Amino acid sequence: MPHAVPSRRRAVAALLPLLLALPLAACSDDPEPGPTAAPTQGGTGPVLAEIAGGSALDIGFAVAPELLDEPEYREIVDTHASLVVAENVMKWETTERVQGQWDFAGADTLAQYAREHGKKLYGHTLVWHSQLPDWVAALDAPAMQAAMEEHIRTQVEHFKGQVFAWDVVNEAIDDDGTRRAGSPFQATLGDGYIEDAFRTAHEADPDAQLCYNDYDLEAIGPKSDAVYAMVSDLVARDVPIDCVGFQGHLTGGKLGDDLQENLQRFVDLGLTVRFTEVDVRIPTPPNDADLAQQAEDFGTVVSTCLAVEGCLGVTFWGVTDRYSWVPQWFPGYGAALLWDEDYATKPAFDAVVEAVGAGRPGRG
Ligand code: 9MR
């Protein structure tokens, strides 16, 4: 049976910014958050969205709308998510495969699901070099700028009042910290396309939070330094940017010890941060040691986010190992999510429950 979403969760979501400024005890009469105090799924286990609510931490899942018809998948999203994001159906190749012809069918299905189930809806993504139809790269500069602005305007206006935050620009920086030369937007429009994209999105929906989103930002190094420099410049010039998404596509056992410091420096710019696409790939078939390492890494991501006041959520890039993108892209690796291929919880799920249950340091 789908799990009804308590109205308290919706209220908590609406009050997120306020709640962050208050001590936990002041905003709830509920028992201490923690695995044992949480409502249960089918009477047997903790519910992530519930135990995260007291910490004003969004628990998100990337969702493929057609999989919501699969009962086990559906039950997990119904039960554990306070936020959903489209894994693919809001990308340019889906929504505007042919210039000026719009297809929001899949995205509208997800938006309706979010509305009817009291989940926040996160928008992914407006401007990205990948999953981009070929016609865009073929345009000259004035036509590409007009097409990009029109794409942003149409999509943001379509979901106005539903999508509370957008990944406006995705993966604009290469691994070495240079601008991604292989992006048609970079190649044809130059650096300025990024601020143009943010300004256009802001005009289309002044209430939406606007984020820059990228992978391999976890450690302080050439790539995260370049993103830090870029967003610092945007902030300094009053470009409407609100947040940075740390995708968090991790390999087990590789997290360094500077994650919190790194998140904090972005928050110190006046931005919020969140983990937007977390998975932890391990060799397949997984052994117990790798599963334990993976659990530790998931726990670290969640507890580090909770340790940073401006870190507002953790989104997992999928529900079950059955459908993860990882094995196709990293042969020999996979098993990267919280539920295995048969929808059994993994040690990583228990680690996330424990980290979420511990709450924000100093607020218990
Ligand atoms: O999970 C997505 C997968 O189904 C797609 O085939 C792939 C195509 O690039 O995109 C995956 O999601 C990506 C996300 O949109 C942006 N960050 C990296 C993600 C994993 O590739």
Side-chain angles (χ1 to χ4, degrees):
M1 263 270 295
H3 207 87
V5 176
S7 61
R8 184 172 69 81
R9 190 189 311 161
R10 286 196 294 276
V12 165
L15 289 172
L16 269 181
L18 185 61
L19 289 170
L20 272 177
L22 293 172
L24 183 61
C27 58
S28 170
D29 293 324
D30 292 341
E32 294 275 71
T36 49
T40 56
Q41 176 190 1
T44 56
V47 173
L48 291 177
E50 290 296 334
I51 53 178
S55 303
L57 183 79
D58 295 329
I59 296 291
F61 289 88
V63 168
E66 68 277 10
L67 293 178
L68 289 170
D69 293 335
E70 192 165 307
E72 298 95 330
Y73 183 102
R74 171 64 172 259
E75 169 134 25
I76 290 170
V77 181
D78 281 355
T79 304
H80 292 285
S82 56
L83 176 156
V84 291
V85 56
E87 182 170 359
N88 286 301
V89 295
M90 279 196 196
K91 293 172 179 174
W92 195 318
E93 72 170 8
T94 300
T95 59
E96 195 187 7
R97 175 171 283 283
V98 176
Q99 187 166 18
Q101 293 183 19
W102 295 90
D103 180 359
F104 290 123
D108 285 344
T109 299
L110 185 63
Q112 183 182 354
Y113 170 80
R115 244 187 348 264
E116 291 176 352
H117 292 78
K119 318 282 187 199
K120 296 169 83 172
L121 181 63
Y122 190 91
H124 174 82
T125 178
L126 296 170
V127 181
W128 188 27
H129 66 278
S130 182
Q131 292 182 278
L132 184 68
D134 291 343
W135 63 264
V136 180
L139 300 173
D140 65 14
M144 188 185 290
Q145 183 177 350
M148 184 190 81
E149 291 174 359
E150 187 58 21
H151 182 80
I152 294 169
R153 252 192 309 271
T154 305
Q155 190 150 330
V156 170
E157 282 173 4
H158 184 85
F159 293 104
K160 199 169 178 167
Q162 297 186 79
V163 167
F164 78 100
W166 281 102
D167 287 334
V168 177
V169 176
N170 195 41
E171 302 175 5
I173 303 287
D174 242 323
D175 299 353
D176 63 359
T178 59
R179 299 289 166 123
R180 182 180 294 282
S183 160
F185 301 106
Q186 182 69 37
T188 304
L189 301 176
D191 294 0
Y193 85 89
I194 294 176
E195 67 181 273
D196 185 22
F198 277 92
R199 290 191 201 284
T200 306
H202 184 65
E203 276 167 27
D205 185 355
D207 294 329
Q209 295 166 38
L210 305 181
C211 310
Y212 176 77
N213 189 53
D214 214 330
Y215 62 89
D216 279 352
L217 296 186
E218 291 73 34
I220 295 179
K223 181 159 181 175
S224 64
D225 286 350
V227 170
Y228 179 77
M230 180 182 77
V231 300
S232 301
D233 172 63
L234 296 175
V235 169
R237 292 187 297 102
D238 286 329
V239 176
I241 178 171
D242 304 291
C243 32
V244 173
F246 285 61
Q247 290 185 6
H249 293 294
L250 306 176
T251 304
K254 295 284 196 322
L255 264 182
D257 57 9
D258 54 4
L259 181 58
Q260 184 173 341
E261 183 189 345
N262 196 22
L263 293 172
Q264 189 62 53
R265 68 173 169 159
F266 286 88
V267 170
D268 290 344
L269 292 173
L271 301 171
T272 59
V273 294
R274 60 176 66 233
F275 288 98
T276 49
E277 306 184 12
V278 181
D279 48 29
V280 182
R281 56 184 173 266
I282 52 178
T284 49
N287 62 36
D288 288 350
D290 289 326
L291 288 167
Q293 179 62 59
Q294 177 185 61
E296 186 181 326
D297 293 336
F298 269 106
T300 300
V301 166
V302 171
S303 56
T304 307
C305 185
L306 285 164
V308 174
E309 285 284 297
C311 188
L312 303 185
V314 177
T315 292
F316 305 106
W317 203 242
V319 171
T320 159
D321 293 341
R322 185 181 290 197
Y323 300 119
S324 163
W325 69 289
V326 171
Q328 286 163 338
W329 290 65
F330 297 94
Y333 282 80
L337 293 165
L338 304 182
W339 282 265
D340 74 12
E341 297 193 351
D342 298 319
Y343 289 103
T345 56
K346 294 157 66 181
F349 175 80
D350 300 329
V352 168
V353 167
E354 192 181 331
V356 171
R360 295 196 184 263
R363 287 176 178 267

